[in-house]
Amino acid sequence: MNPLDIDTIAAFSTPPGESGLAVFRISGPQAGAICDRLFKPYGSHFPIPSRMEGYTMAPGIWDGIDEVILACFKAPHSYTGEDVYEVSCHGGPAVRQAVMESALRAGARSAGPGEFSRRAFINGKMDLSRAEAVMDLIGAQAEKQAEVAFRQLQGGISRTVRRRVDQLYGAMAHLEMLLDWDEEEERPKDRETLIQELEEAKTDLQKLLDSFVSGRVIREGLHVVIAGSPNVGKSSILNALAGRDRAIVSPIAGTTRDTIEIDLVLDGYLIHLTDTAGLAHESHDPIEQEGILRAETALEEADLILWVLSPPLLPVEARAVEEKRIDLLALEGKSLLLVLGKDDLRSELKKHEDPLIYQEERFPHLPYLTWSQKQEEDLDRLKKTLISFIRQGDLEADTALVEDTKSHEILTHARHKAAIERAVSLVNKTITDLKERLSFDLVAITLKEALTELTAITGDDVSETLIEEIFNRFCIGK
Ligand SMILES: Nc1nc2c(ncn2[C@@H]2O[C@H](COP(=O)(O)OP(=O)(O)OP(=O)(O)O)[C@@H](O)[C@H]2O)c(=O)[nH]1
Ligand SMILES: [Mg+2]
């Protein structure tokens, strides 16, 4: 595109409100000329690339309103690959408005969401998965989220995917060589070698897919829901994990009537924790019924359910209803941890009232944890179990033995996962077609489709609509 056809965009990179400083960015061919009109240097010259210089705002309506620092990054050595000017001004509403209005008046256009990053992508400064990582890094609330985003930003996923793409291109080259030969010249060994190459690529892609379970949880946070009958100690568990009295706790059954959601960070991992209204087995109170409905919705969205069973155990009829509910959740493939609560009362209980014996008899297949809010080590154990679940998808793994997120590449985006899944299924089809002795030109078409899926992850081969969709999710000023 002719550089004269590209307009110059401007936006604040810092959020609205009062702050010590605010950062304003201008990118495009006219960025220098616009700044020339807007700011008067303290010294005699315009900024030297990549050096901070002091300015006042130039005469005009906003004359004398602020002193700013300008940093200039000349194309192509900038975030967007264009000329970029970064203005640090004071971060109040009037100054922000002054800077923005002056820039627009001087010929800049207000940048849309993600437009700076979109330009960086178009100018080859970063690929699509790295651009997505920029957003993840900005949105990261917990250390591990930031860690995986930063690794993606450094090109971790791009490199892994490109290695797999090269692998498939290798197979493609092999296939094209065979295509040029006569059918009679084909040896069975050629097909076998090709199948082997494709099998290797498939295994590597599958390995990457397997990392998505923990990758998604790290990126989005783990949704943990505390559920069970009324008065079993659910809210007390939420408060213990939160380290503060967030939910009301009382000996009256039905204290929690609505779902209570909090975010907490454990060992750098983000957890969305939800306390629910006790699942009363018979209720005619419309508010309680609504609470139970909300609890059921939370259960549907949970990655992990802490089902609390505490003494006294329920009467037989209600117990059967609860057991059915737990069985159903397990059948649906939900991850369940039975929390055998009020463990401090166990020594006073008769055998038929003991939750531990009950669990062994009725739910021997489900993982469990004994819990008392009066035993400090129980909180530690519960936290460790949650961390091991995030890292390994396993409630009983030893956290000391579990690999850390740094040790291998992790897939965190649903978009990447879906593309790899499609690629795996296409590679599979290629293998089957080769085994069924389909002609090489047909096999090549399927393999090409698999390659297209993978290159869409890095954006090497991607539709305009997808680019639009991805960058529209960005914030303004990035
Ligand atoms: N002995 C003992 N009592 C506990 C423990 N945990 C909670 N309790 C008590 O059990 C009662 C109910 O606790 P909550 O945390 O409000 O129980 P809940 O399951 O949230 O109850 P609802 O919101 O009514 O469904 C309170 O009196 C708590 O003090 C525990 O570990 N040991
Ligand atoms: Mg409660």
Side-chain angles (χ1 to χ4, degrees):
M1 200 192 278
N2 184 339
L4 294 175
D5 295 338
I6 301 168
D7 54 4
T8 297
I9 53 172
F12 273 96
S13 291
T14 42
E18 277 178 37
S19 57
L21 293 173
V23 174
F24 184 68
R25 284 206 296 191
I26 309 177
S27 176
Q30 294 302 309
I34 290 170
C35 282
D36 217 359
R37 258 172 275 158
L38 284 189
F39 306 108
K40 223 169 33 187
Y42 273 144
S44 55
H45 55 79
F46 215 62
I48 297 163
S50 305
R51 229 179 66 192
M52 299 288 218
E53 304 279 343
Y55 288 78
T56 54
M57 292 192 65
I61 53 164
W62 295 108
D63 185 15
I65 202 160
D66 196 12
E67 289 177 346
V68 304
I69 297 282
L70 264 192
C72 154
F73 306 90
K74 281 289 188 193
H77 306 293
S78 69
Y79 180 72
T80 59
E82 303 173 331
D83 283 350
V84 171
Y85 285 71
E86 257 182 37
V87 182
S88 295
C89 57
H90 289 104
V95 175
R96 291 169 60 95
Q97 194 188 344
V99 172
M100 189 70 200
E101 273 185 15
S102 319
L104 297 185
R105 221 172 268 194
R109 171 174 65 77
S110 187
E115 218 175 341
F116 290 96
S117 300
R118 188 193 168 117
R119 287 188 176 198
F121 168 65
I122 286 167
N123 293 326
K125 296 296 287 186
M126 62 168 84
D127 67 30
L128 211 47
S129 73
R130 289 191 206 204
E132 287 171 314
V134 170
M135 272 325 285
D136 288 352
L137 196 54
I138 292 171
Q141 295 169 55
E143 184 193 333
K144 297 290 174 186
Q145 284 179 303
E147 199 176 280
V148 288
F150 186 60
R151 280 206 8 210
Q152 190 170 320
L153 182 62
Q154 285 181 312
I157 280 294
S158 308
R159 271 194 301 276
T160 310
V161 168
R162 287 213 169 93
R163 269 203 294 275
R164 302 292 81 89
V165 166
D166 288 347
Q167 222 172 348
L168 292 188
Y169 268 127
M172 189 65 142
H174 197 161
L175 201 56
E176 275 169 0
M177 188 183 76
L178 295 175
L179 255 172
D180 289 340
W181 289 358
D182 284 341
E183 287 278 321
E184 293 83 62
E185 282 182 77
E186 186 203 325
R187 294 156 301 175
K189 202 165 175 302
D190 292 323
R191 274 186 194 261
E192 270 166 37
T193 321
L194 204 49
I195 289 172
Q196 206 176 341
E197 282 171 21
L198 291 166
E199 289 281 9
E200 277 167 27
K202 195 183 88 178
T203 311
D204 291 339
L205 285 171
Q206 192 59 54
K207 220 152 111 194
L208 200 55
L209 271 184
D210 294 342
S211 71
F212 180 72
V213 180
S214 65
R216 182 191 66 80
V217 161
I218 293 172
R219 180 169 169 266
E220 295 174 10
L222 180 77
H223 289 270
V224 179
V225 173
I226 310 172
S229 297
N231 218 27
V232 288
K234 301 180 296 299
S235 301
S236 306
I237 295 176
L238 176 112
N239 287 348
L241 282 168
R244 63 194 161 102
D245 285 338
R246 171 61 186 84
I248 301 173
V249 165
S250 91
I252 304 163
T255 300
T256 310
R257 309 204 113 198
D258 201 349
T259 47
I260 297 174
E261 291 162 26
I262 59 157
D263 281 356
L264 57 115
V265 176
L266 282 188
D267 206 24
Y269 296 102
L270 178 65
I271 294 181
H272 310 288
L273 187 62
T274 306
D275 178 24
T276 56
L279 296 165
H281 304 288
E282 243 180 45
S283 170
H284 302 288
D285 175 353
I287 298 173
E288 194 166 29
Q289 282 172 350
E290 178 58 29
I292 292 172
L293 217 64
R294 287 181 187 206
E296 290 290 352
T297 310
L299 285 176
E300 275 168 34
E301 287 158 13
D303 295 314
L304 172 65
I305 298 164
L306 306 183
W307 196 284
V308 190
L309 300 169
S310 296
L313 295 176
L314 293 174
V316 176
E317 215 167 285
R319 204 185 297 179
V321 177
E322 181 169 47
E323 287 174 359
K324 224 182 201 168
R325 188 72 194 96
I326 296 174
D327 285 340
L328 193 67
L329 287 168
L331 211 67
E332 286 167 0
K334 281 281 178 200
S335 295
L336 271 166
L337 175 68
L338 294 181
V339 179
L340 310 180
K342 307 192 185 178
D343 191 49
D344 49 291
L345 303 180
R346 260 188 78 218
S347 54
E348 304 156 21
L349 298 174
K350 296 200 182 81
K351 224 174 144 195
H352 68 276
E353 294 170 333
D354 187 338
L356 198 61
I357 293 172
Y358 170 55
Q359 180 278 327
E360 273 166 11
E361 281 172 2
R362 185 55 185 82
F363 299 109
H365 51 290
L366 289 181
Y368 73 92
L369 203 77
T370 53
W371 162 267
S372 164
Q373 63 176 4
K374 298 183 178 166
Q375 292 156 197
E376 223 167 87
E377 63 278 12
D378 285 359
L379 180 59
D380 215 38
R381 254 183 328 129
L382 179 57
K383 286 181 178 174
K384 278 195 176 135
T385 307
L386 294 178
I387 295 163
S388 120
F389 183 75
I390 295 175
R391 286 197 187 170
Q392 187 102 325
D394 184 346
L395 289 160
E396 289 158 321
D398 180 350
T399 40
L401 300 176
V402 169
E403 284 183 278
D404 197 10
T405 43
K406 283 190 187 124
S407 58
H408 57 289
E409 224 42 77
I410 293 176
L411 210 56
T412 58
H413 275 255
R415 180 181 83 83
H416 304 169
K417 182 202 169 221
I420 295 177
E421 267 173 351
R422 286 192 296 268
V424 166
S425 122
L426 286 161
V427 170
N428 235 345
K429 182 167 172 5
T430 314
I431 295 170
T432 318
D433 289 352
L434 276 171
K435 285 182 181 164
E436 288 176 1
R437 310 197 61 76
L438 235 70
S439 73
F440 286 136
D441 47 352
L442 286 180
V443 174
I445 294 173
T446 315
L447 188 54
K448 176 97 205 336
E449 284 173 23
L451 274 161
T452 309
E453 290 296 346
L454 290 186
T455 47
I457 295 176
T458 49
D460 295 346
D461 182 5
V462 75
S463 71
E464 193 55 34
T465 344
L466 183 62
I467 295 177
E468 200 68 34
E469 196 189 303
I470 288 173
F471 287 103
N472 275 344
R473 276 186 247 136
F474 278 49
C475 50
I476 295 207
K478 190 66 218 177

